[in-house]
Amino acid sequence: MHIFYTPDLTISEQSYQLNEEESKHCSRVLRLKKGDRINLVNGSGGFFLAEITDDNPKKTALSIISKEDGFKKSDHYLHIAVAPTKNIDRIEWFLEKATEIGIQEISPIICERSERKDVKVDRLEKIMVSAMKQSLKAYLPKLNKALPFKDFIKQNASAEHKFIAHCLPNQKEELANNFKKNSHYLILIGPEGDFSEKEIEIALENGFLPITLGESRLRTETAALQACFEVNYLNR
């Protein structure tokens, strides 16, 4: 069944009207007609079954048949802070796959060795919306604006379970060895050239635990996805 993203739809509404863009997609691209049924997700846990009552290509009207709040809500909260790659396609790939697997928040962080200093959030959010619908989820991950590394650490020093994945030969633990199920996790993933020694020092001083994501040397987006997978796997 076709899924539409309707961020302004509340769980209390009995009827709804698609915006012009979604109406056109519904009636002219998908050729759905009056009486056809579709699913709606609002990105904040609402999952709806609706029936088309008017297939107007500019303002398709719907009747809400059933609704569920907190649809497939996760018992844990994963926040990954990752340095944006020079090739933005690689971060787009990470966001798509992480949304499908399960992630609640992403923060681009600008590090000393970052090759990219700016991130256009609007395009990235569209990719996440598409991935949310593809994976039958009702929660859209929160995507924050890019922040310098030090500013991000300062703002998130009080996070519950904090980890930093880096490549220096310092003593590091497996994530599973310092893991508590159904908690709030924050994991830092650095740029291709890794975090600087100073950045690692700042993170450790603020209570971040150093972890390893395996013996392979991973690209930034692969490391971030590996961290996402591990957290979801350990919370099964």
Coordinates of all heavy atoms in Angstrom, one line a residue, residues 119-165:
V119 N 26.7 21.7 5.5 CA 25.7 20.7 5.2 C 24.4 21.3 4.9 O 23.9 22.1 5.7 CB 25.6 19.7 6.4 CG1 24.6 18.6 6.1 CG2 26.9 19.1 6.7
K120 N 23.8 20.9 3.8 CA 22.4 21.4 3.4 C 21.4 20.4 3.9 O 21.2 19.3 3.4 CB 22.3 21.5 1.9 CG 23.2 22.6 1.3 CD 23.1 22.7 -0.2 CE 24.0 23.8 -0.7 NZ 23.9 24.0 -2.2
V121 N 20.8 20.8 5.0 CA 19.9 19.9 5.8 C 18.6 19.5 5.0 O 18.2 18.4 5.0 CB 19.5 20.5 7.1 CG1 18.4 19.7 7.8 CG2 20.7 20.7 8.0
D122 N 18.1 20.5 4.2 CA 16.8 20.2 3.5 C 16.9 19.0 2.6 O 16.0 18.2 2.6 CB 16.4 21.5 2.7 CG 16.0 22.6 3.6 OD1 15.8 22.4 4.8 OD2 15.9 23.8 3.1
R123 N 17.9 18.9 1.8 CA 18.0 17.7 0.9 C 18.2 16.4 1.7 O 17.6 15.4 1.3 CB 19.2 17.9 -0.1 CG 19.5 16.7 -0.9 CD 20.6 16.9 -2.0 NE 21.0 15.6 -2.5 CZ 20.3 14.9 -3.4 NH1 19.1 15.2 -3.7 NH2 20.8 13.7 -3.8
L124 N 19.0 16.5 2.7 CA 19.2 15.3 3.5 C 17.9 14.8 4.2 O 17.6 13.6 4.3 CB 20.2 15.5 4.6 CG 21.6 15.9 4.1 CD1 22.6 16.1 5.2 CD2 22.2 14.8 3.1
E125 N 17.1 15.8 4.6 CA 15.8 15.4 5.2 C 14.9 14.7 4.2 O 14.1 13.8 4.6 CB 15.1 16.6 5.8 CG 15.8 17.1 7.1 CD 15.0 18.3 7.7 OE1 14.3 19.0 7.0 OE2 15.2 18.5 8.9
K126 N 14.9 15.1 3.0 CA 14.1 14.4 2.0 C 14.5 13.0 1.8 O 13.6 12.1 1.6 CB 14.2 15.2 0.6 CG 13.5 16.5 0.6 CD 13.6 17.2 -0.7 CE 12.9 18.6 -0.7 NZ 13.1 19.3 -2.0
I127 N 15.8 12.7 1.9 CA 16.3 11.4 1.7 C 15.8 10.5 2.9 O 15.4 9.4 2.8 CB 17.8 11.4 1.7 CG1 18.2 11.9 0.3 CG2 18.4 10.0 1.9 CD1 19.7 12.2 0.2
M128 N 15.8 11.1 4.1 CA 15.4 10.4 5.3 C 13.9 10.2 5.3 O 13.4 9.1 5.7 CB 15.8 11.2 6.5 CG 17.3 11.3 6.8 SD 17.8 12.6 7.9 CE 16.9 12.1 9.4
V129 N 13.1 11.1 4.8 CA 11.6 10.9 4.6 C 11.4 9.7 3.7 O 10.5 8.8 4.0 CB 10.9 12.1 4.1 CG1 9.5 11.8 3.7 CG2 10.9 13.3 5.1
S130 N 12.1 9.6 2.6 CA 11.9 8.5 1.7 C 12.3 7.2 2.3 O 11.5 6.2 2.2 CB 12.7 8.8 0.4 OG 12.6 7.7 -0.5
A131 N 13.3 7.2 3.1 CA 13.8 6.0 3.8 C 12.8 5.6 4.9 O 12.6 4.4 5.1 CB 15.2 6.2 4.3
M132 N 12.2 6.5 5.5 CA 11.2 6.2 6.6 C 10.0 5.5 6.0 O 9.5 4.5 6.5 CB 10.8 7.5 7.3 CG 9.7 7.4 8.3 SD 9.1 8.9 9.0 CE 8.4 9.8 7.5
K133 N 9.6 6.0 4.8 CA 8.4 5.4 4.2 C 8.7 4.0 3.7 O 8.0 3.1 3.8 CB 7.9 6.3 3.1 CG 7.3 7.7 3.6 CD 6.6 8.4 2.5 CE 7.5 8.9 1.4 NZ 6.8 9.7 0.4
Q134 N 9.9 3.9 3.1 CA 10.4 2.6 2.5 C 10.4 1.6 3.6 O 10.1 0.4 3.3 CB 11.8 2.8 1.9 CG 12.5 1.5 1.5 CD 11.8 0.7 0.5 OE1 11.2 1.3 -0.4 NE2 12.0 -0.6 0.5
S135 N 10.9 1.9 4.8 CA 11.0 0.9 5.8 C 9.8 0.8 6.8 O 9.9 0.1 7.8 CB 12.3 1.2 6.6 OG 12.2 2.6 7.1
L136 N 8.7 1.4 6.4 CA 7.5 1.3 7.1 C 7.7 1.8 8.6 O 7.3 1.1 9.5 CB 6.9 -0.1 7.2 CG 6.3 -0.6 5.9 CD1 5.8 -2.1 6.0 CD2 5.1 0.3 5.5
K137 N 8.3 2.9 8.7 CA 8.5 3.5 10.0 C 7.6 4.8 10.1 O 7.2 5.4 9.1 CB 9.9 3.9 10.3 CG 10.9 2.7 10.3 CD 12.3 3.1 10.7 CE 13.2 1.9 10.6 NZ 12.8 0.8 11.6
A138 N 7.3 5.2 11.4 CA 6.4 6.4 11.6 C 7.2 7.5 12.3 O 6.6 8.5 12.5 CB 5.2 6.0 12.4
Y139 N 8.5 7.2 12.6 CA 9.3 8.2 13.2 C 10.4 8.7 12.3 O 11.2 7.9 11.7 CB 10.0 7.7 14.5 CG 9.0 7.5 15.6 CD1 8.4 6.3 15.8 CD2 8.7 8.5 16.5 CE1 7.5 6.1 16.9 CE2 7.8 8.4 17.6 CZ 7.2 7.2 17.8 OH 6.3 7.0 18.8
L140 N 10.5 10.0 12.0 CA 11.5 10.6 11.2 C 12.6 11.0 12.1 O 12.4 11.8 13.1 CB 11.0 11.8 10.5 CG 12.0 12.5 9.5 CD1 12.4 11.6 8.4 CD2 11.4 13.8 9.0
P141 N 13.9 10.5 11.9 CA 15.0 11.0 12.8 C 15.2 12.5 12.8 O 14.9 13.1 11.8 CB 16.2 10.2 12.2 CG 15.6 9.1 11.5 CD 14.3 9.5 10.9
K142 N 15.6 13.0 13.9 CA 15.9 14.4 14.0 C 17.3 14.7 13.4 O 18.3 14.0 13.7 CB 15.9 14.8 15.5 CG 16.2 16.3 15.7 CD 16.3 16.6 17.2 CE 16.6 18.1 17.4 NZ 16.7 18.4 18.9
L143 N 17.4 15.6 12.5 CA 18.6 16.0 11.8 C 19.0 17.4 12.2 O 18.3 18.3 11.9 CB 18.5 15.9 10.3 CG 19.8 16.2 9.5 CD1 21.0 15.3 9.9 CD2 19.5 16.2 8.0
N144 N 20.1 17.5 13.0 CA 20.5 18.8 13.5 C 21.4 19.6 12.5 O 22.0 19.0 11.6 CB 21.2 18.7 14.8 CG 20.4 18.0 15.9 OD1 19.2 18.4 16.1 ND2 20.9 17.0 16.6
K145 N 21.5 20.9 12.7 CA 22.4 21.7 11.9 C 23.9 21.3 12.3 O 24.1 20.9 13.5 CB 22.2 23.2 12.1 CG 20.8 23.6 11.5 CD 20.6 25.1 11.7 CE 19.3 25.6 11.1 NZ 19.1 27.0 11.3
A146 N 24.8 21.5 11.4 CA 26.2 21.2 11.7 C 26.8 22.2 12.8 O 26.5 23.4 12.8 CB 27.0 21.3 10.4
L147 N 27.6 21.6 13.7 CA 28.2 22.3 14.7 C 29.7 22.0 14.8 O 30.1 20.9 14.5 CB 27.6 22.0 16.1 CG 26.3 22.6 16.6 CD1 25.9 22.1 17.9 CD2 26.4 24.1 16.6
P148 N 30.5 23.0 15.2 CA 31.9 22.7 15.4 C 32.0 21.7 16.6 O 31.2 21.6 17.5 CB 32.5 24.0 15.9 CG 31.6 25.1 15.3 CD 30.2 24.4 15.3
F149 N 33.0 20.8 16.5 CA 33.2 19.7 17.4 C 33.1 20.2 18.9 O 32.4 19.6 19.7 CB 34.6 19.0 17.2 CG 34.9 17.9 18.1 CD1 34.4 16.6 17.9 CD2 35.6 18.1 19.3 CE1 34.7 15.6 18.8 CE2 35.9 17.1 20.2 CZ 35.4 15.9 19.9
K150 N 33.9 21.2 19.2 CA 33.9 21.7 20.6 C 32.6 22.2 21.1 O 32.1 21.9 22.2 CB 35.0 22.8 20.8 CG 36.4 22.3 20.7 CD 37.4 23.5 20.9 CE 38.8 23.0 20.8 NZ 39.8 24.1 20.9
D151 N 31.8 22.9 20.2 CA 30.5 23.4 20.6 C 29.5 22.2 20.8 O 28.7 22.2 21.7 CB 29.9 24.3 19.5 CG 30.7 25.6 19.4 OD1 31.5 25.9 20.3 OD2 30.5 26.3 18.4
F152 N 29.7 21.2 20.0 CA 28.8 20.0 20.1 C 29.1 19.3 21.4 O 28.1 18.9 22.2 CB 29.0 19.0 19.0 CG 28.2 17.8 19.1 CD1 26.8 17.8 18.7 CD2 28.7 16.6 19.7 CE1 26.0 16.7 18.8 CE2 27.9 15.5 19.8 CZ 26.6 15.5 19.4
I153 N 30.3 19.1 21.8 CA 30.7 18.4 23.1 C 30.1 19.2 24.2 O 29.6 18.7 25.2 CB 32.2 18.3 23.2 CG1 32.8 17.4 22.1 CG2 32.6 17.8 24.6 CD1 32.3 15.9 22.2
K154 N 30.3 20.5 24.2 CA 29.8 21.4 25.3 C 28.3 21.2 25.4 O 27.8 21.2 26.6 CB 30.1 22.8 25.0 CG 29.8 23.8 26.1 CD 30.1 25.2 25.7 CE 31.6 25.4 25.4 NZ 31.9 26.8 25.0
Q155 N 27.5 21.1 24.3 CA 26.1 21.1 24.4 C 25.6 19.7 24.8 O 24.4 19.5 25.3 CB 25.5 21.4 23.0 CG 25.6 22.9 22.7 CD 24.8 23.2 21.4 OE1 24.0 22.5 20.9 NE2 25.1 24.4 20.9
N156 N 26.4 18.6 24.7 CA 26.0 17.3 24.9 C 26.8 16.6 26.0 O 26.8 15.3 26.0 CB 26.0 16.5 23.6 CG 25.0 16.9 22.6 OD1 23.9 16.5 22.6 ND2 25.5 17.9 21.7
A157 N 27.4 17.3 26.8 CA 28.3 16.7 27.9 C 27.5 15.9 28.9 O 28.0 15.0 29.5 CB 29.1 17.8 28.6
S158 N 26.2 16.2 29.0 CA 25.4 15.5 30.0 C 24.6 14.3 29.4 O 23.8 13.7 30.1 CB 24.3 16.4 30.6 OG 23.5 16.9 29.6
A159 N 24.9 13.8 28.2 CA 24.3 12.7 27.6 C 24.5 11.4 28.5 O 25.5 11.3 29.1 CB 24.8 12.4 26.2
E160 N 23.6 10.5 28.4 CA 23.6 9.4 29.4 C 24.8 8.4 29.1 O 25.6 8.2 30.0 CB 22.3 8.6 29.3 CG 22.1 7.5 30.3 CD 20.8 6.8 30.2 OE1 20.0 7.2 29.3 OE2 20.5 5.9 31.0
H161 N 24.8 7.9 27.9 CA 25.9 6.9 27.6 C 26.6 7.5 26.3 O 26.1 7.5 25.2 CB 25.3 5.5 27.3 CG 24.6 4.9 28.5 ND1 25.3 4.5 29.6 CD2 23.3 4.7 28.7 CE1 24.5 4.0 30.5 NE2 23.2 4.1 29.9
K162 N 27.9 7.9 26.5 CA 28.6 8.6 25.5 C 29.9 7.8 25.1 O 30.6 7.3 25.9 CB 29.1 10.0 26.0 CG 27.9 10.8 26.5 CD 28.5 12.1 27.2 CE 29.1 11.7 28.5 NZ 29.5 12.9 29.3
F163 N 30.0 7.7 23.7 CA 31.2 6.9 23.2 C 31.8 7.7 22.1 O 31.2 8.5 21.4 CB 30.7 5.6 22.6 CG 29.9 4.8 23.6 CD1 28.5 4.8 23.7 CD2 30.5 3.9 24.5 CE1 27.7 4.1 24.6 CE2 29.8 3.2 25.5 CZ 28.4 3.3 25.5
I164 N 33.1 7.5 21.9 CA 33.8 8.0 20.8 C 34.6 6.9 20.1 O 35.3 6.1 20.7 CB 34.8 9.1 21.2 CG1 35.6 9.7 19.9 CG2 35.8 8.7 22.3 CD1 36.4 10.9 20.2
A165 N 34.4 6.7 18.8 CA 35.1 5.7 18.0 C 36.2 6.4 17.2 O 36.0 7.3 16.4 CB 34.1 5.1 17.0

